[in-house]
């Protein structure tokens, strides 16, 4: 008589966990969002120590701009042409067109949407905060709209961050990535300096632009990577 065949023990089925925002992107987005909100609150309430730092930096750089007209003109060229938000948006448009040509329409849409969202966020915050720009008896440049956050700083950060992410995704060589990273750092820090040197922003405006730009890039890149993981190869 044959012994009964043992019945296999059923293995409980657990649904696969939903893919989450990749950890490095999620951590970066969360951290920069928290710091940006804290900065927004302190600026909105006019926290005296921070306002004092803003005034000190602005006054020192304005005096330097008045004393060196040649360097001031160079900063105006960099700020108004080389690192102008429309120059940055033109770079994003070029990247979007390249992606469309490669057949990566979803990624192209994602990049375009992130850039447009950056513009919308900065304009909404300018209206919400309504912070006045530095006022000088002898200005060296002029600008429109409210001060917080710096649109130049945020747009440059969003554009450079998105382009670096795209280079990484498309498998660009290490030499190209290092060169692009260097240009991105110089552009992001440089445009922030020009806005301060020309007396058009407070330091906290520029800092907020940087923080919000990093947050947006991390959120956009991380959410796309999660979507790509869900879609599969």
């Amino acid at each position: 008589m044959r012994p009964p065949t043992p019945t296999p023990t059923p293995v409980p089925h657990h649904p696969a966990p939903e893919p989450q925002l990749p950890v490095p992107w999620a951590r970066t987005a969360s951290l920069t969002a928290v710091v940006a909100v804290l900065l927004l609150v302190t600026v909105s309430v006019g926290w005296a120590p921070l306002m004092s730092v803003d005034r000190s930096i602005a006054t020192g750089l304005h005096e330097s701009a008045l004393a060196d007209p040649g360097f001031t003109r160079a900063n105006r060229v960099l700020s108004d042409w080389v690192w102008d938000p429309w120059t940055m948006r033109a770079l994003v448009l070029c990247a979007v067109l390249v992606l469309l040509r490669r057949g990566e329409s979803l990624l192209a849409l994602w990049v375009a949407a992130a850039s447009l969202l950056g513009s919308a966020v900065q304009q909404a915050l300018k209206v919400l905060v309504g912070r006045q720009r530095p006022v000088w008896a002898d200005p060296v440049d002029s600008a429109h709209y409210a001060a917080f956050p710096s649109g130049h700083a945020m747009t440059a950060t969003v554009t450079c961050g998105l382009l670096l992410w795209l280079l990484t995704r498309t498998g660009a060589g290490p030499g190209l990535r290092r060169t692009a990273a260097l240009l991105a750092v110089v552009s992001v820090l440089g445009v922030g300096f020009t806005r301060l040197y020309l007396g058009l922003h407070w330091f906290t405006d520029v800092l907020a632009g940087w923080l919000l730009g990093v947050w947006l890039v991390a959120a956009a890149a991380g959410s796309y990577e999660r979507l790509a993981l869900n879609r599969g190869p």
Side-chain angles (χ1 to χ4, degrees):
M1 182 176 181
R2 297 177 59 186
T5 303
T7 304
T9 303
V11 178
H13 174 70
H14 299 288
E18 181 181 350
Q20 300 298 314
L21 195 68
V23 173
W25 291 119
R27 186 179 297 118
T28 300
S30 300
L31 178 61
T32 50
V34 169
V35 178
V37 169
L38 290 175
L39 185 60
L40 170 63
V41 171
T42 55
V43 167
S44 298
V45 301
W47 189 46
L50 196 58
M51 300 302 100
S52 177
V53 171
D54 270 346
R55 285 192 296 271
S56 177
I57 293 174
T59 301
L61 289 176
H62 183 64
E63 291 174 353
S64 178
L66 292 174
D68 193 344
F71 189 55
T72 300
R73 283 193 296 272
N75 275 271
R76 290 191 64 174
V77 170
L78 290 171
S79 184
D80 297 341
W81 294 95
V82 179
W83 294 322
D84 182 76
W86 286 107
T87 304
M88 296 291 112
R89 292 176 188 126
L91 292 176
V92 171
L93 177 60
C94 290
V96 168
L97 293 176
V98 170
L99 291 172
L100 290 174
R101 186 179 180 86
R102 290 164 55 103
E104 300 186 67
S105 55
L106 180 60
L107 183 55
L109 175 63
W110 214 266
V111 171
S115 181
L116 291 173
L117 180 60
S119 298
V121 167
Q122 65 179 255
Q123 292 302 321
L125 286 175
K126 284 178 182 292
V127 173
L128 176 65
V129 179
R131 190 184 197 188
Q132 187 177 23
R133 293 177 184 269
V135 177
W136 310 105
D138 43 6
V140 298
D141 203 351
S142 62
H144 305 290
Y145 308 112
F148 186 96
S150 166
H152 280 68
M154 184 173 176
T155 305
T157 305
V158 170
T159 298
C160 292
L162 290 174
L163 294 180
L164 289 176
W165 170 55
L166 289 177
L167 286 176
T168 301
R169 273 196 61 85
T170 54
L176 177 58
R177 291 202 306 271
R178 283 195 294 267
T179 301
L182 177 60
L183 290 174
V185 170
V186 170
S187 297
V188 170
L189 296 181
V191 74
F193 174 80
T194 64
R195 304 309 282 173
L196 294 173
Y197 191 82
L198 296 172
L200 301 174
H201 277 289
W202 308 104
F203 172 70
T204 45
D205 301 337
V206 172
L207 180 58
W210 288 335
L211 288 169
L212 290 167
V214 172
W215 161 74
L216 183 57
V217 170
S223 57
Y224 183 85
E225 298 294 353
R226 181 176 63 181
L227 178 64
L229 185 61
N230 283 330
R231 286 163 59 91

